[in-house]
């Protein structure tokens, strides 16, 4: 069974969107060609920021994979649950950004910001235990 976690939107995300949108509005306000081009570029940045927030998802699949999708315009990352070495919750920076750091494979790591961090970490642990039990049953046969 698949289980999906969505991106946890923070106050910092909202502030960044408002600031970039306000800068785009200021660029359009001055009515120059350079301002219009800069305003369009900033509006595209706003659209990309919103799109990434809305379409970021972390999906646990039935076949033992964690698929991290950070929007339509970025590449998906697929990680085997059994390849995950460690998972830790981190609070970083002056602004207190929280994320979950997943270490997997040969020195690789990825940071995610799921809504419901504890449930996300618990789901990784539960699925790792389930995969381990399945592997133990296979080896007994």
């Amino acid at each position: 069974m698949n289980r999906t976690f969505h991106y946890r939107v923070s106050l910092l995300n909202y502030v960044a969107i408002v600031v970039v949108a306000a800068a785009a509005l200021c660029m359009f306000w001055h009515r120059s060609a350079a301002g219009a081009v800069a305003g369009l570029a900033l509006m595209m940045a706003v659209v990309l920021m919103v799109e990434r927030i809305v379409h970021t998802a972390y999906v646990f699949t039935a076949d033992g994979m964690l698929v991290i999708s950070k929007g339509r315009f970025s590449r998906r990352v697929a990680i085997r649950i059994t390849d995950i070495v460690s998972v830790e919750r981190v609070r970083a920076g002056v602004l207190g950004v929280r994320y979950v750091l997943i270490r997997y494979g040969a020195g690789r790591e990825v940071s995610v910001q799921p809504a419901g961090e504890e449930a996300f970490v618990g789901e990784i642990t539960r699925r790792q235990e389930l995969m381990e039990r399945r592997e133990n049953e296979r080896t007994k046969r």
Side-chain angles (χ1 to χ4, degrees), residues 91-110:
R91 181 177 213 107
V94 178
L95 299 172
V97 176
R98 294 179 323 189
Y99 60 92
V100 176
L101 182 65
I102 300 172
R103 290 190 176 93
Y104 65 98
R108 302 183 95 190
E109 56 188 27
V110 64

Side-chain angles (χ1 to χ4, degrees), residues 66 68 70 75 77 79 83-88 90 99-112:
L66 169 60
I68 301 170
K70 293 186 176 182
R75 202 176 50 186
V77 177
I79 304 168
D83 289 348
I84 295 176
V85 177
S86 70
V87 178
E88 65 181 276
V90 179
Y99 60 92
V100 176
L101 182 65
I102 300 172
R103 290 190 176 93
Y104 65 98
R108 302 183 95 190
E109 56 188 27
V110 64
S111 63
V112 296

Side-chain angles (χ1 to χ4, degrees), residues 52-73:
R52 181 166 249 190
I53 288 172
V54 170
H55 291 108
T56 295
Y58 314 109
V59 180
F60 291 96
T61 63
D63 61 346
M65 300 290 285
L66 169 60
V67 179
I68 301 170
S69 173
K70 293 186 176 182
R72 295 180 198 163
F73 304 116

Side-chain angles (χ1 to χ4, degrees), residues 1 41 44 47 77 93 95 104 107 132-133:
M1 181 172 111
M44 287 176 54
V47 168
V77 177
L95 299 172
Y104 65 98
E132 187 176 311
R133 268 189 254 131

